[in-house]
């Protein structure tokens, strides 16, 4: 591998930053404005319950429709994610670091006594930054935990679709890619159909929001779960039918661990 070519591609460009900003702004606005079932979270230790608007499926469908129409009109390239994958990865990593630094600082300075925002400080900087200080921090009334995992799951699908568009454009669309896209899309859509179940998972009800969860939601889910798509895209001609079917079984995350 030529590092002289790899390293420059890891430097975020202004376009990759614009893509991320548009994505997060859209999710924030759509999450607040689009209709959806409002779910009460589990009862916390102080007796309070958070409310979650489960409109992820609507938000995802609308976003894909907007991007599809924009691509058809030539406003946005469907290959922007596939062509700038490493830039988006590094930009997302920088965003994760910055967000968790802000969470650490605001958590340390918080005097809130509620279960959601009460600071839990161990005194170990690395521990508190990694595992987080507050249980359910919010920004402009947006629950960040719920927001980040939604962003990660949608991001996974968008990366897949961009790689699919690249395969179609290159004329290299294969049975392997079609199967991969179908199985992953079904899993992601199933997640959003049953999004309300996420409100009772361990991550939401027990884990504090630190780098571990932010990195896991925003970078690990979309960028590592889509590795199979890159593998299929770049290794089509050497992939046998049997290995293709086996790879599809591996690409679908275990439902038991997924929910």
């Amino acid at each position: 591998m030529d590092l002289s070519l790899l390293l420059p591609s890891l430097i975020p460009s202004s376009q990759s930053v614009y893509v991320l900003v548009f994505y997060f702004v859209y999710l924030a606005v759509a999450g607040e404005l689009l209709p959806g079932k409002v779910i009460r979270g589990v009862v916390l230790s102080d007796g309070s319950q958070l409310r979650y608007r489960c409109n992820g499926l609507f938000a995802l469908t609308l976003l894909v429709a907007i991007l599809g129409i924009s691509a058809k009109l030539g406003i946005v390239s469907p290959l922007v994610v596939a062509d700038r994958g490493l830039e988006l990865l590094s930009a997302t990593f920088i965003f994760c670091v910055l967000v968790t630094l802000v969470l650490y600082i605001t958590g340390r300075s918080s005097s809130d006594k509620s279960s959601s925002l009460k600071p839990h400080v161990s005194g170990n900087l690395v521990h508190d930054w990694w595992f987080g200080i507050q249980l359910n921090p919010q920004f402009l009334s947006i629950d960040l935990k719920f927001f980040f995992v939604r962003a990660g799951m949608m991001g996974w699908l968008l990366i897949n679709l961009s790689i699919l568009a690249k395969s179609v454009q290159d004329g290299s669309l294969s049975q392997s890619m079609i199967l991969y896209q179908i199985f992953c899309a079904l899993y992601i859509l199933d997640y959003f159909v049953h999004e309300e179940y996420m409100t009772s998972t361990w991550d939401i009800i027990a884990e504090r929001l630190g780098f571990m969860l932010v990195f896991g939601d925003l970078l690990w889910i979309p960028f590592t779960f889509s590795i199979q798509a890159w593998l299929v895209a770049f290794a089509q001609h050497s992939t046998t039918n049997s290995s293709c079917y086996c790879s599809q079984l591996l690409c679908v995350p275990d439902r038991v661990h997924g929910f």
Side-chain angles (χ1 to χ4, degrees):
M1 180 180 293
D2 190 347
L3 292 180
S4 63
L5 297 176
L6 176 63
L7 294 179
S9 64
L10 285 170
I11 300 174
S13 65
S14 58
Q15 186 173 7
S16 63
V17 174
Y18 294 152
V19 169
L20 281 183
V21 170
F22 166 79
Y23 182 53
F24 289 133
V25 169
Y26 169 82
L27 289 184
V29 174
E32 290 297 305
L33 299 182
L34 294 180
K37 187 177 180 181
V38 177
I39 300 297
R40 286 182 177 271
V42 299
V43 179
L44 302 176
S45 58
D46 62 356
S48 63
Q49 287 180 285
L50 298 179
R51 292 174 178 267
Y52 302 92
R53 186 180 298 277
C54 297
N55 55 8
L57 184 61
F58 192 174
L60 176 60
T61 304
L62 180 61
L63 177 58
V64 171
I66 291 173
L67 293 177
I69 294 171
S70 299
K72 187 69 174 179
L73 296 176
I75 300 173
V76 175
S77 169
L79 309 182
V80 65
V81 176
D83 289 342
R84 298 181 179 274
L86 289 177
E87 289 183 19
L88 287 168
L89 186 149
S90 57
T92 303
F93 177 78
I94 293 170
F95 178 78
C96 291
V97 173
L98 294 177
V99 165
T100 47
L101 284 176
V102 172
L103 289 173
Y104 176 82
I105 293 170
T106 55
R108 290 272 303 187
S109 59
S110 175
S111 58
D112 200 297
K113 300 301 182 182
S114 67
S115 296
S116 292
L117 300 177
K118 181 180 179 180
H120 299 267
V121 181
S122 69
N124 184 312
L125 186 150
V126 175
H127 179 279
D128 293 339
W129 173 73
W130 182 267
F131 291 106
I133 292 178
Q134 293 176 306
L135 181 63
N136 296 111
Q138 298 183 352
F139 176 72
L140 299 178
S141 76
I142 298 172
D143 184 90
L144 293 180
K145 270 191 193 175
F146 197 64
F147 177 83
F148 287 156
V149 71
R150 173 181 286 184
M153 293 297 292
M154 288 191 190
W156 177 18
L157 180 62
L158 295 178
I159 292 174
N160 283 350
L161 292 178
S162 186
I163 297 172
L164 174 64
K166 191 172 184 66
S167 296
V168 172
Q169 178 176 287
D170 294 344
S172 58
L173 182 62
S174 67
Q175 183 185 43
S176 308
M177 179 63 75
I178 293 172
L179 286 172
Y180 170 82
Q181 294 287 342
I182 290 173
F183 289 140
C184 287
L186 286 174
Y187 179 85
I188 296 167
L189 290 174
D190 179 74
Y191 170 87
F192 283 109
V193 168
H194 302 97
E195 188 179 29
E196 62 189 86
Y197 297 151
M198 185 64 196
T199 62
S200 60
T201 59
W202 184 258
D203 289 357
I204 297 292
I205 67 176
E207 295 279 3
R208 296 188 291 275
L209 186 60
F211 183 78
M212 180 181 70
L213 284 185
V214 175
F215 176 87
D217 291 340
L218 295 182
L219 194 145
W220 186 263
I221 290 176
F223 289 98
T224 65
F225 286 16
S226 59
I227 286 176
Q228 293 92 343
W230 291 109
L231 175 65
V232 171
F234 289 110
Q236 316 241 26
H237 303 296
S238 62
T239 305
T240 63
N241 285 336
S242 59
S243 63
C244 159
Y245 297 137
C246 290
S247 68
Q248 305 319 312
L249 293 176
L250 292 174
C251 86
V252 181
D254 187 347
R255 285 294 299 272
V256 175
H257 293 92
F259 294 114

